[in-house]
Amino acid sequence: MPELVFFSGTMDCGKSTLALQIGHNRSARGLQGVIFTRDDRAGQGKLSSRLGLVTAAVEAAPGMDLYAYLVARMSQGGKVDYVIVDEAQFLAPEQIDQLARVVDDLGLDVFAFGITTDFRTKLFPGSQRLIELADRIETLQVEAMCWCGARATHNARTVGGEMVVEGEQVVVGDVNRPAEEIGYEVLCRRHHRRRMTSTSAHAGALSPDVLPVNQA
């Protein structure tokens, strides 16, 4: 049976790499797929991984009807055996509904990849809808690591190396941006709560792990 599968994880845990691998495995067996993406770090119409792999993709622009796009492509003789969607957290909830319809009405597997929460620990609307509709949710097993060595569970936005918790939900950036630019960093929950990025932790005069002591 075809499925809508949501592969989730923090930034830097290999989501795009797995998306590329799934596409490669299926194309090697003669299957043809459509890859959608939104706001990839490599630019419009591209699916890229931090390992340096890049492939062409269809930019899923705001307001685009993904179901209608696939129906039109198939009606014109195009072969579509499966669908891959990267950066799925950026899609609108109605576009996630369209992906579910692709599975149910067109009988195609849809593999969606994305992070669940933003830099404020709030669910992306697209990810929330995927959690509500997906046949399966798979958490990627490649664990990203916080600067302290613990498992990273939260995404942080940084400006000049300092964590920020206000601003637009979607600002395209990367974990490898220079410290003075808007960038992102993955943190464990403890250091996300304390807003301790790698830059601020190494620059701080006091350890964030020192417990407060009341003076008598």
Side-chain angles (χ1 to χ4, degrees):
M1 292 290 292
E3 291 184 308
L4 172 58
V5 187
F6 181 31
F7 295 90
S8 68
T10 62
M11 293 180 295
D12 216 17
C13 73
K15 295 184 300 299
S16 297
T17 301
L18 180 57
L20 288 163
Q21 185 68 54
I22 286 176
H24 170 76
N25 289 351
R26 279 160 176 72
S27 64
R29 287 159 179 76
L31 301 177
Q32 296 181 28
V34 171
I35 299 174
F36 291 110
T37 189
R38 168 81 66 82
D39 293 334
D40 188 272
R41 68 183 74 84
Q44 269 202 348
K46 296 182 184 299
L47 166 57
S48 67
S49 81
R50 293 191 178 89
L51 298 182
L53 303 173
V54 183
T55 192
V58 177
E59 188 74 14
M64 179 181 181
D65 188 325
L66 307 184
Y67 177 84
Y69 175 91
L70 292 167
V71 168
R73 182 160 175 162
M74 296 169 74
S75 298
Q76 295 167 9
K79 183 183 179 186
V80 181
D81 297 307
Y82 62 92
V83 177
I84 290 174
V85 185
D86 198 31
E87 306 294 357
Q89 73 273 5
F90 295 148
L91 299 185
E94 57 266 26
Q95 290 176 310
I96 304 301
D97 288 352
Q98 293 158 15
L99 293 176
R101 188 180 178 192
V102 168
V103 176
D104 296 339
D105 293 358
L106 302 183
L108 302 178
D109 283 315
V110 175
F111 307 101
F113 298 80
I115 58 179
T116 52
T117 57
D118 63 16
F119 69 105
R120 302 164 300 182
T121 71
K122 303 297 183 182
L123 282 169
F124 282 99
S127 297
Q128 178 177 336
R129 194 62 179 144
L130 275 166
I131 292 170
E132 292 166 348
L133 292 183
D135 296 295
R136 281 193 293 126
I137 300 173
E138 301 282 351
T139 302
L140 270 67
Q141 298 303 309
V142 177
E143 294 183 349
M145 296 179 66
C146 178
W147 59 264
C148 69
R151 176 174 176 263
T153 54
H154 290 63
N155 306 297
R157 181 181 295 170
T158 61
V159 177
E162 297 294 327
M163 180 175 157
V164 295
V165 294
E166 296 182 353
E168 295 291 330
Q169 185 175 50
V170 179
V171 176
V172 179
D174 202 356
V175 295
N176 296 318
R177 293 288 180 92
E180 64 272 12
E181 297 182 10
I182 293 177
Y184 291 90
E185 183 174 347
V186 289
L187 300 172
C188 64
R189 185 182 62 228
R190 178 177 61 173
H191 288 124
H192 191 280
R193 286 179 53 246
R194 297 177 179 180
R195 303 187 188 181
M196 294 293 297
T197 66
S198 57
T199 299
S200 62
H202 294 145
L206 294 176
S207 166
D209 298 320
V210 174
L211 296 176
V213 177
N214 294 326
Q215 297 293 331

